[in-house]
Amino acid sequence: MAVLSRLLTPKQLTSSSSTIFPTFSSYYSTAIKATGDGRSVQWVFLGCPGVGKGTYASRLSKLLGVPHIATGDLVRDELSTKGPLSPQLSEIVNQGKLVSDHLIIDLLSKRLEAGHAKGESGFILDGFPRTIRQAEILEGVTNIDLVINLKLREEALLAKCLGRRTCSQCGGNYNVACIDIKADNEKPAMYMPPLLPPSHCASKLITRPDDTEEVVKERLRIYNEKSRPVEEFYRARGKLLEFDLPGGIPESWSKLLRALNLDDHEDKRSAAA
């Protein structure tokens, strides 16, 4: 906690939970303009495990020029490097349970300290906070500008999680699931094509050990029980943007940028590239 308090911008919020931003559009415009004035965005991505937080947070990170910090990656890095916390983390992950607050805070604190030493400023958090206690800790030490809550219907989410694959050689992430859900009286049709690997990675694909149907369903159950209240925490503070993913990345990305009032921002970055 000392490291978190030292590294993150001191909280400057004075508004109460009843203060709501006038419009999402005008607020996002202000936040984006601020990135050019020396003030970095401080955003959080929420959503069920496997919904795509990492994909969209990573894209926004590159677009806005701020680091993407994924607590899931921090956990996997600790496991792969056999760090001091790996024995505890291994048991928790294999059972499909959420990592405890103190373990996540230890990992995040270490990552922020390393980033601070490299001169990083601002962040997009992915996978944190997951509990009310974590949200309160974060609220006490920094001003989160915006919380983006990604949503995807459960049948698509389950198929997406079970289709995830990683190249054991290059570390590339792919998905072999082809999700084609027909429209019904209440919900529109949804199509998410597979994200297939290049030929040189096809024979090297591996599945995460925790991506089994039983474990995925358990993760979703725990999320609904412990993390849904976090959505309410930020909704009450006027910081929550709920975004229903309409399909695959090409369709969803453009609509997310429009929801964030960032479509012009990407056009300018593309023109300058």
Side-chain angles (χ1 to χ4, degrees):
M1 270 306 301
V3 176
L4 276 174
S5 300
R6 185 169 68 252
L7 294 178
L8 297 178
T9 306
K11 181 182 175 186
Q12 297 174 338
L13 282 179
T14 57
S15 61
S16 69
S17 61
S18 62
T19 302
I20 306 298
F21 298 116
T23 65
F24 280 123
S25 178
S26 63
Y27 178 65
Y28 299 153
S29 296
T30 302
I32 298 310
K33 287 177 183 176
T35 64
D37 299 332
R39 180 184 180 281
S40 295
V41 300
Q42 296 181 170
W43 290 3
V44 167
F45 265 83
L46 296 181
C48 293
V51 74
K53 297 185 296 294
T55 297
Y56 296 101
S58 178
R59 286 183 167 225
L60 282 171
S61 166
K62 293 174 183 175
L63 184 66
L64 301 176
V66 296
H68 165 214
I69 302 177
T71 53
D73 288 342
L74 297 181
V75 169
R76 285 186 283 275
D77 288 345
E78 184 76 5
L79 288 170
S80 65
T81 58
K82 305 296 183 184
L85 299 177
S86 61
Q88 298 175 68
L89 291 172
S90 180
E91 182 177 355
I92 293 168
V93 169
N94 289 336
Q95 293 175 357
K97 296 184 177 180
L98 291 180
V99 179
S100 67
D101 291 346
H102 79 273
L103 288 175
I104 287 293
I105 290 168
D106 281 350
L107 292 171
L108 181 59
S109 178
K110 185 167 67 173
R111 170 63 182 85
L112 290 172
E113 189 171 56
H116 182 68
K118 293 188 294 184
E120 289 179 353
S121 177
F123 51 80
I124 295 179
L125 288 180
D126 162 13
F128 184 94
R130 285 185 171 178
T131 66
I132 288 292
R133 180 169 179 265
Q134 290 177 354
E136 290 171 344
I137 291 171
L138 200 57
E139 180 88 353
V141 295
T142 190
N143 177 16
I144 295 298
D145 301 314
L146 172 68
V147 178
I148 303 165
N149 186 28
L150 296 183
K151 303 173 76 174
L152 183 65
R153 59 180 71 177
E154 188 167 332
E155 61 266 41
L157 186 61
L158 182 59
K160 188 169 177 284
C161 287
L162 296 179
R164 291 193 294 194
R165 300 291 186 273
T166 302
C167 176
S168 59
Q169 183 171 334
C170 73
N173 294 311
Y174 307 101
N175 201 299
V176 299
C178 181
I179 301 170
D180 189 3
I181 302 174
K182 306 303 179 185
D184 58 29
N185 293 332
E186 297 181 356
K187 298 178 182 178
M190 173 179 285
Y191 179 71
M192 301 179 74
L195 181 61
L196 298 176
S199 57
H200 59 273
C201 292
S203 63
K204 305 178 183 69
L205 297 185
I206 58 174
T207 303
R208 281 171 40 175
D210 56 330
D211 274 349
T212 64
E213 184 170 356
E214 181 181 357
V215 171
V216 169
K217 286 183 175 180
E218 177 66 5
R219 286 206 302 265
L220 294 178
R221 185 193 68 78
I222 293 174
Y223 179 86
N224 288 328
E225 177 183 311
K226 293 191 174 181
S227 296
R228 293 289 187 192
V230 179
E231 299 173 12
E232 296 300 327
F233 180 89
Y234 287 114
R235 184 179 290 111
R237 286 157 177 76
K239 296 184 177 184
L240 188 72
L241 169 66
E242 307 220 58
F243 183 78
D244 287 288
L245 294 166
I249 294 173
E251 182 182 1
S252 297
W253 175 240
S254 60
K255 291 183 178 180
L256 178 60
L257 290 181
R258 283 198 294 273
L260 293 169
N261 200 35
L262 283 174
D263 40 352
D264 289 342
H265 196 77
E266 183 177 60
D267 291 341
K268 292 175 183 177
R269 289 290 288 264
S270 298

